Amino acid sequence: TAKTVSENPSNKHSEEPFIMNINIRLAVCRKHELTQFELEQASQDLISKKQQREELATGIVRTFSFKGMTNKIFGQEAPEQREARLNLLEELTSEGEEAVKEKTAECDEHAERAVTDILQFKEQKDKDLQEALISYALMQISMCKKGIQVWSNARESFLKM
């Protein structure tokens, strides 16, 4: 009896690149999710620093904070301390803006690489599919030739009878 394509031991080798291709795609997706998460975290941090700077500059606190509560209980902090914190928040805000720019650039770069990787994967998939179909066609031709040979031998045996 003839082996089917799924029973063919060489078929396991043709599945390995496909599985590896899937794993690579998953890794690309995970990397994209991670860079997107880092960008969102940097954006949230920047928004928080800007809000703190605005609250410190205006003296109006929009949300509940322990700092605001201690200021109400113990009084406002000294102007020098306030100015030092304001300068620190300015510095942290500028660093946050740089971090957001870097993460945005990293996300864009990763997206461009992912597109090229996906195109490469598609090309490889097409090549692998073509190779598999050629192998299948060659196997079918071989099986047909063997079938013809068997029938020819059987025909000769019957004709000799």
Side-chain angles (χ1 to χ4, degrees):
T1 61
K3 289 184 177 181
T4 62
V5 175
S6 62
E7 294 173 348
N8 189 351
S10 65
N11 195 30
K12 289 182 181 180
H13 297 292
S14 65
E15 291 176 359
E16 289 174 7
F18 179 73
I19 292 171
M20 187 171 57
N21 190 359
I22 290 173
N23 289 337
I24 291 171
R25 284 186 182 191
L26 288 174
V28 168
C29 289
R30 282 190 211 111
K31 175 68 175 164
H32 178 70
E33 289 173 353
L34 179 63
T35 55
Q36 187 66 33
F37 177 74
E38 289 172 350
L39 174 61
E40 290 171 4
Q41 291 292 355
S43 296
Q44 285 294 97
D45 187 46
L46 177 62
I47 290 169
S48 172
K49 297 297 182 207
K50 283 183 177 181
Q51 183 179 1
Q52 287 177 8
R53 184 186 69 200
E54 182 182 323
E55 289 173 355
L56 186 63
T58 60
I60 299 172
V61 179
R62 294 183 186 159
T63 60
F64 174 78
S65 69
F66 288 111
K67 184 67 178 169
M69 203 57 141
T70 56
N71 284 344
K72 285 183 181 181
I73 294 173
F74 299 112
Q76 294 289 329
E77 58 191 357
E80 298 86 28
Q81 289 176 330
R82 186 171 181 232
E83 193 64 35
R85 280 190 49 216
L86 192 59
N87 289 337
L88 177 65
L89 284 172
E90 287 284 339
E91 184 180 316
L92 290 174
T93 301
S94 64
E95 288 174 5
E97 288 172 349
E98 281 298 315
V100 167
K101 286 179 186 176
E102 289 173 9
K103 292 297 178 186
T104 303
E106 188 178 326
C107 277
D108 292 342
E109 179 184 325
H110 179 72
E112 290 172 8
R113 281 186 303 195
V115 168
T116 58
D117 286 347
I118 288 172
L119 291 175
Q120 181 183 3
F121 294 149
K122 285 182 179 180
E123 289 174 12
Q124 186 63 42
K125 179 188 74 169
D126 291 343
K127 287 177 185 176
D128 291 346
L129 182 61
Q130 183 179 11
E131 182 182 310
L133 289 175
I134 289 171
S135 295
Y136 180 73
L138 290 175
M139 189 244 344
Q140 287 295 324
I141 290 169
S142 172
M143 294 301 288
C144 286
K145 285 181 180 178
K146 288 178 184 176
I148 290 171
Q149 183 65 38
V150 167
W151 280 109
S152 296
N153 290 342
R155 182 175 168 231
E156 288 176 17
S157 296
F158 285 126
L159 288 176
K160 289 180 183 177
M161 290 181 161

